[in-house]
Amino acid sequence: MNFKIDVDMTPEEFRKVMGLPDIASLQDEMISKIKEQMEAGVEGYDPLTLLKPYLTNSVGSVEAFQKMMLGMMSQYNSSSNDKK
């Protein structure tokens, strides 16, 4: 069985549907601070260290979303098999 779901949403609409916060202003602030540090040539500046907490949390969020979608698909599959 194959099925395909197309969702036509803007990123902002998707974020609202998923209940995710709007972090555009925070992102702009972080980027400006990174640029300032890069331009100032801060010694020992390591962008990966600065962004590591955010990257780690993002990956966890993606994994949680994938598990949620898999759970919903598994639940749908088992309920449609029960009807047969």
Side-chain angles (χ1 to χ4, degrees):
M1 169 170 55
N2 292 324
F3 63 92
K4 180 179 177 181
I5 299 173
D6 290 326
V7 179
D8 188 14
M9 293 180 156
T10 65
E12 183 178 346
E13 291 169 335
F14 181 74
R15 186 177 57 249
K16 286 180 181 177
V17 167
M18 296 303 294
L20 300 172
D22 183 8
I23 58 166
S25 61
L26 175 63
Q27 182 181 10
D28 291 340
E29 185 178 328
M30 290 285 297
I31 296 298
S32 67
K33 286 184 180 184
I34 290 170
K35 284 181 181 179
E36 286 174 12
Q37 289 183 350
M38 288 173 68
E39 289 170 358
V42 175
E43 188 175 325
Y45 174 71
D46 181 16
L48 185 59
T49 303
L50 179 65
L51 298 175
K52 188 174 181 178
Y54 301 103
L55 295 173
T56 304
N57 291 338
S58 298
V59 171
S61 299
V62 171
E63 287 176 7
F65 177 72
Q66 289 173 338
K67 286 179 183 177
M68 178 188 72
M69 293 301 287
L70 181 62
M72 289 184 344
M73 288 188 288
S74 299
Q75 193 174 34
Y76 174 78
N77 190 25
S78 65
S79 66
S80 54
N81 286 339
D82 292 343
K83 292 179 183 178
K84 290 182 180 180

